[in-house]
């Protein structure tokens, strides 16, 4: 008999406290929607865009299991603006496999990043970051990616445990199939 346990979820009103004391938090989809002021249907409308990701050409282990798009933004209070494209770069000290390499990915599609829900989501994350670290503009590198497990096990982090070289990270699981 299998026993499934509910994950430890954080309500939106406890997000700042969880981040400050535990250093992490997990929100249910409905809680994220409340935090960002978006409807779940708006987020679900993005699913198809994950079927249109170019292969990641920078997998130094020779793999073909990751697809990705990448775009940059600045969240400054209630203002969201595009930032110029730039390479995703991590030092070797943070990422032993892919560090020290300029990785240029295709930008995220305008249909996703131009949606009002995208803006409200990034602004909500910016508010949470400012509540934790003080009001300031936040530079955001957004990675839209998927891991393909066809033909075997997927390798979401072939480089092993690593740090992204940033202070704060938000990860949104879009679908798991």
């Amino acid at each position: 008999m299998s026993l499934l346990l509910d994950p430890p979820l954080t309500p939106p009103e406890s997000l700042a406290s969880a981040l400050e004391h535990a250093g992490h938090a997990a929100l249910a989809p409905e809680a994220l929607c409340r935090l960002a002021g978006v409807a779940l249907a708006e987020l679900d409308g993005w699913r198809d865009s994950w079927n249109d990701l170019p292969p990641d050409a920078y997998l130094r282990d020779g793999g073909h299991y990751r697809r990705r798009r990448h775009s940059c933004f600045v969240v400054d209070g209630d203002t969201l603006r595009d930032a110029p494209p730039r390479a995703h770069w991590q030092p070797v000290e943070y990422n032993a496999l892919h560090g020290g390499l300029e990785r240029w990915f295709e930008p995220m599609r305008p249909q996703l990043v131009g949606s009002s829900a995208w803006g409200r989501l990034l602004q909500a994350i910016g508010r949470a970051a400012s509540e934790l670290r003080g009001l300031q503009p936040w530079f955001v590198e957004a990675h839209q990616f998927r891991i393909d497990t066809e033909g075997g096990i997927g390798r979401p982090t072939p480089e092993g445990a690593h740090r992204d070289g940033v202070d704060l990270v938000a990860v949104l699981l879009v679908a798991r199939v």
Side-chain angles (χ1 to χ4, degrees):
M1 178 175 177
S2 172
L3 178 63
L4 298 176
L5 301 175
D6 289 333
L9 297 174
T10 302
E13 57 275 7
S14 301
L15 179 60
S17 177
L19 292 174
E20 183 177 343
H21 298 294
H24 60 87
L27 277 70
E30 298 78 17
L32 177 66
C33 289
R34 274 199 334 262
L35 182 77
V38 299
L40 188 55
E42 291 177 281
L43 301 184
D44 283 341
W46 298 343
R47 284 181 184 233
D48 283 345
S49 68
W50 266 260
N51 294 324
D52 183 31
L53 302 178
D56 184 333
Y58 299 99
L59 297 173
R60 286 183 168 162
D61 64 357
H64 301 283
Y65 47 81
R66 187 160 59 193
R67 298 176 165 277
R68 183 186 309 233
R69 288 186 183 277
H70 172 264
S71 292
C72 299
F73 307 89
V74 176
V75 178
D76 192 356
D78 290 334
T79 303
L80 172 67
R81 66 181 186 275
D82 293 341
R86 71 179 212 173
H88 178 57
W89 187 87
Q90 296 169 304
V92 175
E93 294 79 17
Y94 290 142
N95 186 329
L97 181 60
H98 298 115
L101 174 67
E102 284 192 9
R103 295 183 280 166
W104 288 91
F105 298 104
E106 292 294 318
M108 296 169 68
R109 294 283 191 199
Q111 299 90 318
L112 188 148
V113 300
S115 72
S116 63
W118 177 256
R120 292 192 312 270
L121 176 65
L122 289 189
Q123 288 165 335
I125 293 170
R127 284 190 302 273
S130 287
E131 191 169 341
L132 186 65
R133 298 287 171 88
L135 185 61
Q136 59 187 289
W138 292 96
F139 181 80
V140 177
E141 277 195 59
H143 298 261
Q144 183 184 23
F145 66 93
R146 71 182 297 171
I147 306 301
D148 184 354
T149 60
E150 186 176 326
I153 191 165
R155 302 188 69 212
T157 55
E159 56 278 297
H162 68 284
R163 298 173 294 173
D164 287 322
V166 298
D167 292 333
L168 302 169
V169 174
V171 177
L172 285 71
L173 177 63
V174 172
R176 182 176 170 191
V177 180

